[in-house]
Amino acid sequence: MHTDEREVELSDGARVGYGDLVLAPGMEEDLDAVPGLAGAMTAGWSLTAHLESQAPAVWDAVEGMSRGRVVFTLPPEPSPCGGTALKPLFLACDEWRRRGVLNDLDVHLVTPFTGVLGLPFVDDRLEAQLGELGVSVHRESTVASVDHRQRTVTVDGPTPTVLDAVDRAFVVPPYRGQGWLAPLAREEASGQIDVDPETMAHRSAPRVWSLGDAAALDTRPSGGALRRQVEVLADNIARSRLGQPLRCYDGYTIVPVTLDRRRLLLAEFDRTGTQAPTTRLVDLSVPRRALWLFDRYVEPLLYFRALLRGRLVP
């Protein structure tokens, strides 16, 4: 990056000039942040659906279990839609209950939040579901280390715990900004790009903007947040060229949570964690069959045929 000259250097050494530069490269997993995790994943004892290379093996592992101890985790923020890591847990428990083996499994969830997601308007429903399934929840906690040889997961939190005799550990790794963005990053924000969280303009590099997971927007990253971010950012680029006041992004984001094979809820909130519904006609934070059907059949069509082609309607 050569922001003083307004140029981007490519991998072959060539430089490309820009008038405005928008950065949206996403984040990368940081396996080394959890001692033992890389080795455990190589051994296949630890898996996560958050990594494309491992996603197919997660369900194979779930189907192969009928007893023992299993650990699921929610990653610390910032993480690419970290709340969706509840989906493998809920679907696994639904499968085990359907097969009649859930009572033979000791299921644990490690979450960094005071509640399940740290969102009061959905946590009560999620707590009730986890209680019904018999899941032990370790709140305000993160995975400090794993050892696939000893089959242990060390949990760091208000009550440090070592879970032993773990048959499977579905651990979502921490994430951080990509290394090549370091000159534009805010280190205390896990390497995310140092932008004003309201305008998405870089704090020190003129005409540089960022959105998505890589941007330090002080909200929880999610693909569903991009629609609002793109609208505000596109308008702000035009406004900055005209010398007009910039619009503010309120941190709106959304986390879809699948509770079983039939129901899904949508948690919509701003950067303060306050519920920010996009419709008043129905409460989308209530688990519904219709939301599951929308997410399963309609959302993929919208994503691939509209969103990825730039057809973003405010």
Side-chain angles (χ1 to χ4, degrees):
M1 304 292 297
H2 303 277
T3 55
D4 291 340
E5 294 86 8
R6 290 191 188 171
E7 291 182 339
V8 175
E9 185 172 334
L10 306 182
S11 59
D12 62 2
R15 290 192 180 191
V16 178
Y18 63 85
D20 287 275
L21 174 64
V22 178
L23 296 168
M27 305 182 76
E28 61 185 7
E29 64 274 5
D30 189 1
L31 297 180
D32 293 336
V34 179
L37 183 56
M41 287 187 168
T42 299
W45 176 79
S46 181
L47 296 166
T48 175
H50 267 55
L51 297 182
E52 183 179 1
S53 61
Q54 297 184 14
V58 170
W59 193 247
D60 291 338
V62 167
E63 291 186 315
M65 295 193 69
S66 57
R67 59 179 54 86
R69 174 171 285 177
V70 58
V71 177
F72 292 86
T73 76
L74 290 177
E77 296 293 338
S79 175
C81 211
T84 58
L86 286 172
K87 180 176 182 178
L89 182 155
F90 282 130
L91 288 182
C93 287
D94 190 57
E95 168 68 11
W96 293 328
R97 181 166 54 183
R98 185 186 66 82
R99 288 165 43 203
V101 301
L102 181 59
N103 291 336
D104 297 323
L105 285 146
D106 180 23
V107 185
H108 293 255
L109 170 65
V110 180
T111 173
F113 307 110
T114 53
V116 181
L117 286 177
L119 301 170
F121 64 94
V122 294
D123 275 347
D124 287 347
R125 296 188 180 101
L126 298 176
E127 293 274 8
Q129 181 77 356
L130 291 168
E132 179 183 323
L133 296 170
V135 177
S136 300
V137 182
H138 304 263
R139 299 171 182 81
E140 298 181 83
S141 301
T142 56
V143 174
S145 65
V146 298
D147 188 328
H148 68 280
R149 294 183 178 86
Q150 298 297 320
R151 294 169 56 198
T152 61
V153 175
T154 301
V155 178
D156 186 14
T159 305
T161 304
V162 177
L163 298 172
D164 57 9
V166 176
D167 293 277
R168 285 283 184 178
F170 297 101
V171 179
V172 181
Y175 281 77
R176 62 173 294 107
Q178 300 188 43
W180 61 273
L181 292 169
L184 296 173
R186 195 172 78 197
E187 181 54 39
E188 64 272 21
S190 298
Q192 289 177 297
I193 300 168
D194 187 18
V195 295
D196 182 304
E198 294 188 338
T199 66
M200 291 177 273
H202 197 272
R203 294 183 186 274
S204 59
R207 307 289 290 274
V208 174
W209 314 77
S210 184
L211 74 168
D213 299 351
L217 298 174
D218 296 339
T219 192
R220 297 190 194 177
S222 80
L226 277 173
R227 181 173 171 181
R228 185 78 55 86
Q229 292 172 16
V230 168
E231 175 195 351
V232 174
L233 178 57
D235 198 11
N236 278 351
I237 291 175
R239 286 169 175 258
S240 71
R241 292 176 178 179
L242 297 173
Q244 297 176 350
L246 302 183
R247 289 178 58 186
C248 291
Y249 165 57
D250 63 3
Y252 170 87
T253 190
I254 181 171
V255 176
V257 180
T258 301
L259 275 76
D260 49 41
R261 293 173 184 264
R262 299 161 295 279
R263 298 175 303 148
L264 177 142
L265 66 81
L266 296 175
E268 298 177 287
F269 52 99
D270 61 21
R271 63 169 50 90
T272 68
T274 302
Q275 189 173 9
T278 54
T279 177
R280 299 291 180 180
L281 298 177
V282 62
D283 187 354
L284 301 182
S285 68
V286 176
R288 299 178 187 277
R289 172 69 169 174
L291 290 175
W292 184 92
L293 291 170
F294 177 86
D295 184 74
R296 174 65 179 85
Y297 296 106
V298 180
E299 185 66 25
L301 295 177
L302 293 176
Y303 185 82
F304 288 106
R305 298 186 182 182
L307 295 177
L308 289 185
R309 298 183 182 185
R311 298 170 184 170
L312 295 165
V313 181

